[in-house]
Amino acid sequence: MAAHAAMPHRRRRTSERQHHSPTAWAVPVTVGLVLGIWAAFIKRAQNDGVATGGQWVLGVITAVVIAALLFALMRVQHALPRELRALAYGALTAATVGFLTSLAGGSVLRAAGIGVAVGAGVAAVTFYFYYTRE
C-alpha cells in the first residue's frame, strides 16, 4: 500500500555531522591567505624590504581572523534576510579594507573613509545580486 503524501519523514538528528562542500572551505581560506600575505608585504615594505618574524605573524593572524569571519558569515548567510546579508558582507569588506589601509600608513580618517566607501559599494552590489535572484 502506498504511503500518504503527508507522511512525516525522518529528520536529521542534531548529532549528525554536517559536511561542507569544498567551496565552503576554499573561498575563506583563499581570501584569508591572499589578505594575510598582502598584510605581511605591506609591513615588509615599511621595513625597507627586510623580512622580520613580526610581519609574518601579523600575516598569519590576519589570514586566520579573516578566513574565520568569512567562513562564519558564509555559514549563517542563508538564515539572514537579503538586506542584512548584504550589510554583513559590506561590513566585513569595510573592516578589511580599512585595516589594510591603516596598515599601509593611512590616517584613521582616510582608512575609515576608504573602508566605508568600499563597504557601501560591496553592500549595494551584494544587495542587488541577492534581490535579483530571490
Side-chain angles (χ1 to χ4, degrees), residues 3-118:
H4 191 269
M7 280 294 286
H9 63 282
R10 182 176 175 258
R11 299 204 183 264
R12 185 172 59 187
R13 294 181 187 152
T14 57
S15 62
E16 292 180 15
R17 291 195 65 121
Q18 294 180 356
H19 296 286
H20 307 292
S21 68
T23 306
W25 290 101
V27 170
V29 168
T30 303
V31 170
L33 282 175
V34 167
L35 293 176
I37 291 170
W38 190 356
F41 279 113
I42 288 173
K43 281 308 253 189
R44 184 174 181 170
Q46 291 176 350
N47 291 339
D48 299 324
V50 178
T52 62
Q55 74 186 19
W56 294 111
V57 169
L58 175 73
V60 168
I61 290 172
T62 301
V64 168
V65 168
I66 290 174
L69 288 173
L70 185 57
F71 180 75
L73 181 57
M74 288 175 69
R75 291 275 299 159
V76 300
Q77 73 176 348
H78 300 293
L80 301 174
R82 63 178 167 248
E83 297 86 3
L84 192 55
R85 189 182 322 171
L87 187 63
Y89 276 109
L92 181 61
T93 304
T96 303
V97 169
F99 170 70
L100 291 175
T101 303
S102 70
L103 198 60
S107 67
V108 174
L109 189 58
R110 178 184 171 108
I114 290 174
V116 167
V118 172

Side-chain angles (χ1 to χ4, degrees), residues 77-78 80-83 85 126-134:
Q77 73 176 348
H78 300 293
L80 301 174
R82 63 178 167 248
E83 297 86 3
R85 189 182 322 171
T126 54
F127 175 75
Y128 177 77
F129 176 80
Y130 291 127
Y131 184 76
T132 57
R133 282 157 179 78
E134 285 184 357

